[in-house]
Amino acid sequence: MPSLADATRGRLLFGGDYNPEQWPESIWPEDVRLMREAGVTTVTVGVFSWAKLEPTPGARDFGWLRRILDLLHEGGIEVCLATPTASPPPWLGELHPGTLPVTAEGTTLSWGSRNQWCPSSADYRRHALGLVDDLAAAFGHHPAVRMWHVGNEYGPVCHCEETADRFRDWLGKRYGTLEAVNAAWGTAFWSQQHATWSTVTPPRAAPYLPNPAQQLDFRRFCSDVLLACFTAERDVLRRHTPELPVTTNFMTLFPHVDCWAFAAEEDVVSLDSYPDPADPRAMVWASLGQDMTRSQARGPWLQMEMAASAVNWRGVNRAKPVDRLRLEAYQAIARGADGLCFFQWRASRSGAEKFHSALLPHAGPDSPQHLAVRTLGAELPLLAEVVGTRVEADVAVVLDWSNWWALEQRGRPSDRVDLAPIALAWHGALWDAHLTADYVHPEADLGGYRMVVVPNLYLAGDAAVDNLTGYVAAGGTLVAGFFTGVADEQDAVRPGGMDERLRALLGVHPLEWRPLDAPAELAGGGTADLWSEDLCLAPGTETVLAFADGTPAATRRGRACYLATLPEPAVLQRLLADAAGRAGAAPALPGLPAGVEAVRRGDLLFLLNHTAEPCELTLPGPHRDLLTARAIARDPAVLHLDPYGVAVLRP
Amino acid sequence: MPSLADATRGRLLFGGDYNPEQWPESIWPEDVRLMREAGVTTVTVGVFSWAKLEPTPGARDFGWLRRILDLLHEGGIEVCLATPTASPPPWLGELHPGTLPVTAEGTTLSWGSRNQWCPSSADYRRHALGLVDDLAAAFGHHPAVRMWHVGNEYGPVCHCEETADRFRDWLGKRYGTLEAVNAAWGTAFWSQQHATWSTVTPPRAAPYLPNPAQQLDFRRFCSDVLLACFTAERDVLRRHTPELPVTTNFMTLFPHVDCWAFAAEEDVVSLDSYPDPADPRAMVWASLGQDMTRSQARGPWLQMEMAASAVNWRGVNRAKPVDRLRLEAYQAIARGADGLCFFQWRASRSGAEKFHSALLPHAGPDSPQHLAVRTLGAELPLLAEVVGTRVEADVAVVLDWSNWWALEQRGRPSDRVDLAPIALAWHGALWDAHLTADYVHPEADLGGYRMVVVPNLYLAGDAAVDNLTGYVAAGGTLVAGFFTGVADEQDAVRPGGMDERLRALLGVHPLEWRPLDAPAELAGGGTADLWSEDLCLAPGTETVLAFADGTPAATRRGRACYLATLPEPAVLQRLLADAAGRAGAAPALPGLPAGVEAVRRGDLLFLLNHTAEPCELTLPGPHRDLLTARAIARDPAVLHLDPYGVAVLRP
Amino acid sequence: MPSLADATRGRLLFGGDYNPEQWPESIWPEDVRLMREAGVTTVTVGVFSWAKLEPTPGARDFGWLRRILDLLHEGGIEVCLATPTASPPPWLGELHPGTLPVTAEGTTLSWGSRNQWCPSSADYRRHALGLVDDLAAAFGHHPAVRMWHVGNEYGPVCHCEETADRFRDWLGKRYGTLEAVNAAWGTAFWSQQHATWSTVTPPRAAPYLPNPAQQLDFRRFCSDVLLACFTAERDVLRRHTPELPVTTNFMTLFPHVDCWAFAAEEDVVSLDSYPDPADPRAMVWASLGQDMTRSQARGPWLQMEMAASAVNWRGVNRAKPVDRLRLEAYQAIARGADGLCFFQWRASRSGAEKFHSALLPHAGPDSPQHLAVRTLGAELPLLAEVVGTRVEADVAVVLDWSNWWALEQRGRPSDRVDLAPIALAWHGALWDAHLTADYVHPEADLGGYRMVVVPNLYLAGDAAVDNLTGYVAAGGTLVAGFFTGVADEQDAVRPGGMDERLRALLGVHPLEWRPLDAPAELAGGGTADLWSEDLCLAPGTETVLAFADGTPAATRRGRACYLATLPEPAVLQRLLADAAGRAGAAPALPGLPAGVEAVRRGDLLFLLNHTAEPCELTLPGPHRDLLTARAIARDPAVLHLDPYGVAVLRP
């Protein structure tokens, strides 16, 4: 199977999306020249080029693409060639209105933006695959082309009749019979029983709370049908170019598709990551996406999109200081990236993203922002030896999309309990404790980890429960968050309100859930938020954290800990660091100050100072900084890091 | 006519909704056993069973229902049998799309939740009544069945063409001619005149402010058409079982149906009440619903639904402490309930309400919450003598649905002025003053009351105005809130801006309305909110409360008082207590501390401590507490009440 | 050409909308009598009378209108006769569903409110023009009729297929070819290229950000198609009565139509103005509308609607103190109005605006509010000599609708940056500096002004850029706000991120936009909000205001100033006053205290005290106050103004 190594070939990739169709051809040579001067190795071409490639139904206009690929190749720039299927041309929606997505309220979404396609539409697939086929035939063996980029940020959802048909097929495969669907969805509640398959539909606008199991299965189906769109294109591409790796781009904490399932079908796992420069904890959010993507890739991955400065889709879009751009770039490499690509090369003059920053901004090639890009492009080759190496982690974090979809439904104990902020809080506590973590599916092999943490696993199927209990039985340390193990695979509440195996493992039985609407005081200082429980503790279970009124907030039974609340960051950090210490998991470097990140990748030690203060770190022996080529000698080996500074050390 | 007494037969009913179709039959015997152990007398079966009873169009599957009724009967549990018409099966919407409700924007609401029926749909009614007919034939004489429960929380609204036809029929009956409709709706404004009946429709999405009189009449129609749905089912049931009482369940301050009109057609008036455990004034809200329901029942009533602990449809759903559950139960009995039923018996594993608490919670029969249920079930028989007795009140509160619908339209002086919070504020002031009040329709006979209060009656028809003026003329004391008497029956502003008879009665003429956007200071301390007026006072009208700038905030002319604002709770309490004192209305017990509720029902005195502190109350002579069987002797007769404690005293 | 002078004929008009069709004819004589007593000269009749005039398709019921016009004429009241086309009768929507507007989501808006017409509908136009034709024939020469009022507050928008056809026609005229449309809209972005005209539509609901240039052109088209509706009616009226002036009514800062284009087609420019009595800066907002309308009228204009007290469409509708009503009336006259009309004469008893105040309120003719109206009506003749005179201004403010539409799209640097509040802030700073300003289109002749200010001109076409640079080259002083000159006529970002001619003129190059999400400190005190920039200053450009960190906030290069932020009011006032001083622009009177407004109109000096304190002003010589007939003698000439007082002085 091809892999990212086929594209990197010993280099860290550097570049971004390039949309030559937005510019007169007379500008193209300047683009290639400026790319070379900026150290660009690779550009992604064609992500939104369908209308240019197929200007009318069935037509093919490939000449411009060949000209720019030739030009790039002459300039030594390699190409990740995209299938343009994320944004059909207007003519497709006119010719086949059934390709347009329909909301749950019945509104058809039109062209004039992007993403206006129904993943279940046979017409869409036929047109998309036809074009991909011809594109692969025409360009798959062009010497500039090194990778395939399929679609873009998969996520469209549709509620149309054709979707209903595909949903029924999917349910038929999952459950076999209509009776089984009725049972799985609990349609005995509120008289929702289906007498025939014909009334089984996607969730649609309804007078009151929808059926949660139907919602859950529809989200599973949506992810699966998008994945089928991806694999259909991938298979066409593979037929033409079995040697070229294929990817599609994920987003951090993106709820629409199950990235575990997608990653299993990709040759290269890649990520679009847009930390908010206005967020003082943006590096925590960024590292979560990096760790998740690395875990899904099971090795090096590709940063497919990032921003050189501001984005344009937040309320107030903060520009990114140049030192923060550099820090963000090295953080991605530290956590496993073998390449850094940006959206986009040259800022668009028109269109909905004309105020998104670019490697070459509106202000031009002499602007400070572009100079920072050039500096980065010049530095990256210094780290070539990192390419292909791995990040090892002692800790694993469980995250599951089915759980996410089940948890965040209407009609639950508290609508303040959403998965993403909880996951982020736990990730932040690990980050603050300087612990590097992998992410794992709840049914993954956990054998290699000293500690597994489960921020929340409200929905825990039998296999997941057995996996977690087996892991602890085999000597592992487990820390599980509140409202875990409540529902089975079909979102039915487990007898007793929590799976009995988990109750036994953790030594707790939550008798009542008591969600919090504001932070509550903890005994010993600090606060906790979101949740509390009336816990019945089994013999041998000890309270390791209590609320001010004495009720248990966190417990431990052997190597299994349970948190019945979400403690504030410092308390959660202490709890997880303590558990990690008992489990034998340690930071990459001892004695790190707050805000300084240390990650080992292969033989290299990355040190990143996310604070506005300089700092000095004592190293375990002499090192050499690959970026400065400076040696840090022993007695003692002290490294100075500038504010927002980076060092990449080889022992 | 049958009545609640036919069901109670000397006992306080205790039980709740039971949905056996959600569980395997193997669990049913355990259910019946646990019910018996918990003291359950009565369960409501079949509220959402349409799809189980009529799995395909016209089919009948009654066997399972017969089996569970037999089982319950063997176990000594009586049944309130429900018609399942609140939630049609999916096949009905597929077979007859016209049965599905349509929003004002034209969106059709689908199955997959509940309530997806158009009250005007002939197809819906034919199917519903056919099933009800067969159900009554099959089970009306089953020995377990003691009452009929029709539909559930009537409220669906539809804007479809069939609704338009029914709306036109209704208007034709109300107004006779199209000219009269045009006049009543004031269609001369903005060129809305209808030339033919065909353009008369429900309010639909429109570019700007809708016609308020059309809106008002549509809400009246919606209530009437729902009532017609109810009476149609009731009549079918009566034909089979003239001896069985029929009810449907109301909700506290539920705007969708005119409960006065519904109550007049019921044999038993029943209430679903879900005070929020997070609300420190939940007992005030609860008592409003209880007083309203008792008034509509003109005697004992039935609590049809309440929650043993948390509900699942608020943002953050607080669990209910067990002492608060007991207090809430006795408050309902004190205020006239002859039975306490809960939603629901056994917590559902699946569906949209699986996180709603139940008598038998997920945590199981050994949980503290279920034990509290059992304790309550064991105590209730001690109060058997209360069954059938009445609560007498000196004070009446006027509340009218037409006024509510007219008041809360767009384009009024202030959108901060809504009826429910104003009604609640006035009710709370009476509660704080320890005064028990009935609720009355504005045209009801007021002769028996010492004082009548009108929190707001913006829309006051001629009959209502004459009723109030006649009441004062006959010696009654009236306290009326701001913005009362402004509009006539058709929401047309009265000449002068306020009905001239009310102006004469109250001695005030509001020359300008001056709604407040924040609380304003009162002379003598305290604040008032929502409203103020430029009042012209007639000779003989005195100012009893003024704003800090001296303008009148409350006035009195003889026995008629007017409040031109909403004073803060303590001030409103003082005003109403003062007026009550002058009118000769007194609390059930003098000298009650704040937060302690005293209600006389029949010969019994209920004392309920809603505070977290114990208290001691001096009684007028010796009493015996029915709950503890303890005597409180004279010299002096002092009763100790625990925090959240209850006593039920017989003199 | 007819003009406002044909209606005023030496008098200040006074009156308002009169809707006799809402009242029985028996009341009409009382109306006319009360109008006479109140000094009313003119009423607007028929604005929403379509259904009364054409009760069924093609019918004509003109008798009632003739009767009221005769009665008004007998009473000496003149009439501004309205075409009733702003609110079609229900039958039009039933007969021609295509006349009903459709939202971008596809929802059809129905009758039952007002404005339910599609501006592109041929059926609508045919019916509307037919009625206008007959109306003009029947009443154009009635002796009471002195002016035509066409439609009402033009603004309806539709997204239907017929609109799409008209939009394509409009684009065809603007761009010639489909290729040019694709280029102008930048459809190369996101694969939006149109292969045929048939896919070119109004913006419709779409999955993500829409095409900004399409949005912009659609708003331009909507304004143009509404203008075509206006001119079509106007042309019919002119054919019948070439001697009668024609107007339609604008609203202050109303985004839906380009008022520059509309004004050019009107004989009289008129304004509906509803300053919020709850807003302490309401007089600033009001004066902006007055200055804008005067500028569009190029001379005297007509206040077509204002409120005697509260409106009914805000959340909390504050009543208007009678002294504030008088102040507001004279402010309009000071700033060029030759007449004051109110919505409406008699408060409606029914309909969506029954709580809107009126000249004759619900409280009746003896109410203080009506007495204030009479006082005003009695005073206005004292100012007769002002009629027809002009207000001269040294300062001009640039405001452009295309820029407004382009600026406020999704996907921009900050969604906190909206045009109206920025324009209001700049206008307020000029008001605080006691500088009277005209408003100008960016391509208008600027030669007569000492200073031109540009609060924002994000979208600046070549002609506008050349106009501004030419103005400075010819000796003018320019002050331009941030984010100006960024986009060209088609909303494409200019190379470099700002037009190079403006960069040269202002001596700045913004390298990064740094929108603010909260106010930032300025060096020397005060704050600024919304925006900041990394500015590269050309040689010779000086920083005249800096942020606390030293970065430039405002710059000057010769007579051209640039503000890279929005300073707080006092700082902005100082900056603009300073620039005005250098440019030789001065207040109407030196030494004015804050909150006192001085405006010269013709020979008269209007002084308006908007504060709650009395004040004394020193005048440059003796004057006589037209309102009091009192002389203010010299040595020194001191004028006393009461709180909220007014003086109108002749030297």
Side-chain angles (χ1 to χ4, degrees), chain B residues 56 112 144 157 192 196 225 278 292 320 339 395 463 580:
Chain B
T56 58
V157 173
Q192 298 170 350
T196 59
V225 77
M292 182 98 72
K320 192 179 289 180
V395 179

Side-chain angles (χ1 to χ4, degrees), chain A residues 570-585:
Chain A
V571 177
L572 185 56
Q573 174 194 349
R574 203 168 60 230
L575 279 169
L576 294 186
D578 180 63
R582 292 162 176 263

Side-chain angles (χ1 to χ4, degrees), chain C residues 67-113:
Chain C
R67 289 195 293 282
I68 188 64
L69 292 187
D70 291 348
L71 204 62
L72 288 163
H73 183 61
E74 286 161 26
I77 310 291
E78 297 180 351
V79 170
C80 174
L81 188 58
T83 70
T85 50
S87 192
W91 61 251
L92 184 68
E94 184 184 49
L95 190 62
H96 300 295
T99 62
L100 298 174
V102 177
T103 69
E105 291 72 33
T107 299
T108 297
L109 303 182
S110 186
W111 56 85
S113 175

Side-chain angles (χ1 to χ4, degrees), chain A residues 21-22 48 51-52 55 87 90 94 107 109-114 309 312 315-319 349 351 353-355 362-363, chain C residues 188-193 195 198-199 205 207-209 211 411-415 458 488 491-493 496 512 514-515 517:
Chain A
E21 67 269 43
Q22 293 176 26
F48 293 110
K52 285 281 176 189
S87 192
E94 184 184 48
T107 300
L109 303 181
S110 186
W111 56 84
S113 174
R114 69 179 203 194
S309 183
N312 73 318
V316 177
N317 294 290
R318 191 80 70 93
R349 288 193 61 210
E353 295 189 323
K354 62 183 178 289
F355 291 120
H362 291 301
Chain C
F189 185 81
W190 282 356
S191 186
Q192 298 170 351
Q193 202 160 0
S198 59
T199 54
Y208 191 45
L209 301 175
N211 181 306
R412 55 202 163 112
S414 169
D415 63 10
Y458 158 75
D488 68 14
D491 195 19
V493 177
E512 282 251 37
R514 299 197 177 275
D517 42 24

Side-chain angles (χ1 to χ4, degrees), chain B residues 313-604:
Chain B
W313 38 263
R314 294 194 172 98
V316 178
N317 294 290
R318 190 80 69 92
K320 192 179 289 180
V322 295
D323 51 8
R324 239 63 55 84
L325 168 62
R326 182 170 177 261
L327 195 59
E328 198 180 296
Y330 287 116
Q331 188 189 30
I333 295 169
R335 292 180 181 268
D338 271 4
L340 302 176
C341 295
F342 289 73
F343 179 83
Q344 59 180 334
W345 164 248
R346 187 188 276 271
S348 300
R349 289 192 59 209
S350 298
E353 295 189 324
K354 62 182 179 290
F355 292 119
H356 195 293
S357 64
L359 291 173
L360 183 56
H362 291 302
D366 300 328
S367 61
Q369 189 219 305
H370 185 67
L371 298 181
V373 166
R374 289 184 170 218
T375 304
L376 182 61
E379 264 186 1
L380 287 179
L382 303 176
L383 300 191
E385 67 184 79
V386 80
V387 173
T389 61
R390 300 179 62 87
V391 176
E392 304 294 344
D394 290 335
V395 179
V397 184
V398 172
L399 192 135
D400 176 51
W401 267 260
S402 271
N403 173 57
W404 195 352
W405 297 325
L407 176 68
E408 296 189 3
Q409 303 223 14
R410 295 168 64 190
R412 55 201 163 113
S414 170
D415 63 9
R416 298 181 69 222
V417 173
D418 291 331
L419 188 72
I422 292 173
L424 195 59
W426 283 62
H427 186 87
L430 294 171
W431 193 91
D432 288 338
H434 306 289
L435 293 165
T436 305
D438 284 346
Y439 276 75
V440 291
H441 186 274
E443 298 172 21
D445 178 9
L446 306 173
Y449 297 105
R450 294 182 183 275
M451 179 167 84
V452 171
V453 306
V454 182
N456 170 269
L457 200 65
Y458 157 76
L459 181 156
D462 287 345
V465 168
D466 291 340
N467 196 39
L468 293 173
T469 52
Y471 167 72
V472 177
T477 291
L478 178 73
V479 186
F482 65 83
F483 207 47
T484 283
V486 171
D488 69 13
E489 193 70 23
Q490 280 317 311
D491 196 19
V493 177
R494 298 272 191 186
M498 183 184 192
D499 183 89
E500 60 182 337
R501 292 158 292 184
L502 289 177
R503 278 188 269 153
L505 177 74
L506 297 161
V508 297
H509 188 185
L511 299 173
E512 281 251 37
W513 300 300
R514 298 197 178 275
L516 300 174
D517 42 23
E521 296 293 321
L522 292 168
T527 63
D529 201 359
L530 294 187
W531 204 260
S532 67
E533 289 176 353
D534 286 350
L535 275 187
C536 174
L537 303 193
T541 306
E542 56 179 321
T543 297
V544 298
L545 184 72
F547 285 99
D549 67 2
T551 57
T555 63
R556 184 169 57 227
R557 180 172 171 280
R559 285 179 307 276
C561 300
Y562 181 69
L563 267 69
T565 188
L566 183 71
E568 65 172 45
V571 177
L572 185 57
Q573 174 193 350
R574 203 168 61 231
L575 280 169
L576 295 186
D578 181 61
R582 291 163 177 264
L589 201 67
L592 286 166
V596 176
E597 183 176 348
V599 183
R600 288 194 188 279
R601 181 172 176 195
D603 293 336
L604 302 180

Side-chain angles (χ1 to χ4, degrees), chain B residues 257-281:
Chain B
V257 293
D258 179 344
C259 292
W260 296 115
F262 264 70
E265 302 289 342
E266 293 181 281
D267 302 316
V268 170
V269 181
S270 63
L271 177 70
D272 298 354
S273 178
Y274 293 101
D276 184 353
D279 174 9
R281 299 278 285 177

Side-chain angles (χ1 to χ4, degrees), chain A residues 70-192:
Chain A
D70 290 348
L71 205 61
L72 289 163
H73 184 60
E74 288 162 24
I77 310 291
E78 298 179 351
V79 171
C80 173
L81 188 58
T83 71
T85 50
S87 192
W91 60 253
L92 184 68
E94 184 184 48
L95 190 62
H96 299 296
T99 62
L100 298 174
V102 177
T103 69
E105 291 72 32
T107 300
T108 297
L109 303 181
S110 186
W111 56 84
S113 174
R114 69 179 203 194
N115 304 352
Q116 78 284 8
W117 52 282
C118 164
S120 298
S121 164
D123 287 323
Y124 165 77
R125 292 206 198 177
R126 192 179 65 251
H127 279 276
L129 295 179
L131 179 56
V132 169
D133 203 355
D134 291 351
L135 208 59
F139 299 108
H141 299 94
H142 189 286
V145 176
R146 299 301 186 140
M147 199 187 310
W148 288 111
H149 176 298
V150 172
N152 185 60
E153 297 166 356
Y154 275 93
V157 172
C158 182
H159 299 75
C160 73
E161 278 310 305
E162 192 168 0
T163 299
D165 283 338
R166 293 290 80 69
F167 187 35
R168 284 177 208 121
D169 293 347
W170 183 93
L171 289 165
K173 286 201 189 75
R174 183 176 177 92
Y175 294 108
T177 66
L178 186 58
E179 288 65 39
V181 174
N182 276 313
W185 288 7
T187 56
F189 186 81
W190 283 355
S191 185
Q192 298 171 350

